[in-house]
Amino acid sequence: MVVAAGSGSRFGGPKHDLTIGGVPLWQRCCDVFRAVGIETVVVVGDVPGGIAGGERRRDSVLAGVEAVPDAEWVLIHDAARPMVTVDLVDRLLAAAIPNDVDGAIPGLKVTDTVKRVQRDRVVETVDRSDLVAVQTPQIFRRSVLLEAHRSAPGLDATDDAGLVELIGGTVAVAAGDPSNIKITYPDDLARAKAIDEERSEEP
Ligand code: CTP
Ligand code: MG
């Protein structure tokens, strides 16, 4: 599923009508998932053929999960990451489906030095050796994801793995893709367009 609802408050307005190369962000994501061979692709949000989204991201995800009652695995992706690739999805599927895990997520090693701060004062430097920055798509066994959603209805988790972790689910980490950026602020759209142009220049 591609989640494309929300208000885009940091962007300065909803993101569901944005395009790259003339193609809406959510549509680009759907095209990648169809190319991978995913059986059913649903979009959540105010787009043609979309399912109504919810107040919080997790509510939109739940609407999408409920739309595919027979799926064994569900793959959840932010329309705000339109530079997702077939290779990344393939890595993720390989990390989850053949293995004895409840899900898999893409992670990138943190290369910046990370510090814990309070107001404008440094409290400590965090050991980054075991830290990863996490992206979407994220894949889970549908039954486990539903149980995770039910277990903590009040928590406004920013990703689905966070909920699955809370119920003790096992989540594998696959190598993320640095070019799979998220469009959060207006400048991110320009970066995504530049990545798109670089890719179209590749032989
Ligand atoms: N999303 C959603 N439903 C919501 C909130 C977010 O489907 N209620 C989706 C967005 O469309 C986006 C992804 O979740 O593809 C990640 O959300 P984010 O980038 O945070 O988008 P917004 O929540 O719209 O933006 P902001 O947090 O800046 O308000
Ligand atoms: Mg948000």
Side-chain angles (χ1 to χ4, degrees), residues 32-54:
V32 170
F33 297 136
R34 291 206 183 90
V36 171
I38 288 173
E39 262 171 62
T40 308
V41 180
V42 297
V43 187
V44 181
D46 188 13
V47 305
I51 298 165

Side-chain angles (χ1 to χ4, degrees), residues 58 144-155 163-164 166-168:
R58 59 169 291 173
V144 174
L145 185 62
L146 272 180
E147 187 191 333
H149 270 254
R150 283 192 200 109
S151 76
L155 192 72
L163 293 171
V164 170
L166 284 179
I167 60 162

Side-chain angles (χ1 to χ4, degrees), residues 31-119:
D31 292 348
V32 170
F33 297 136
R34 291 206 183 90
V36 171
I38 288 173
E39 262 171 62
T40 308
V41 180
V42 297
V43 187
V44 181
D46 188 13
V47 305
I51 298 165
E55 184 80 14
R56 305 165 297 175
R57 181 184 180 280
R58 59 169 291 173
D59 303 319
S60 298
V61 169
L62 192 57
V65 173
E66 283 168 348
V68 288
D70 298 326
E72 186 181 353
W73 293 90
V74 287
L75 183 118
I76 297 145
H77 184 61
D78 291 343
R81 290 191 192 266
M83 306 317 293
V84 60
T85 62
V86 168
D87 279 356
L88 175 59
V89 180
D90 282 344
R91 281 204 292 280
L92 200 66
L93 298 181
I97 292 175
N99 303 321
D100 186 22
V101 297
D102 298 309
I105 61 178
L108 287 174
K109 285 214 165 90
V110 174
T111 53
D112 289 331
T113 296
V114 177
K115 294 189 192 290
R116 196 178 309 283
V117 297
Q118 268 167 20
R119 301 209 228 183

Side-chain angles (χ1 to χ4, degrees), residues 179-191:
S179 68
N180 176 32
I181 63 167
K182 178 160 165 283
I183 297 176
T184 305
Y185 297 99
D187 282 354
D188 299 324
L189 183 62
R191 284 171 61 216

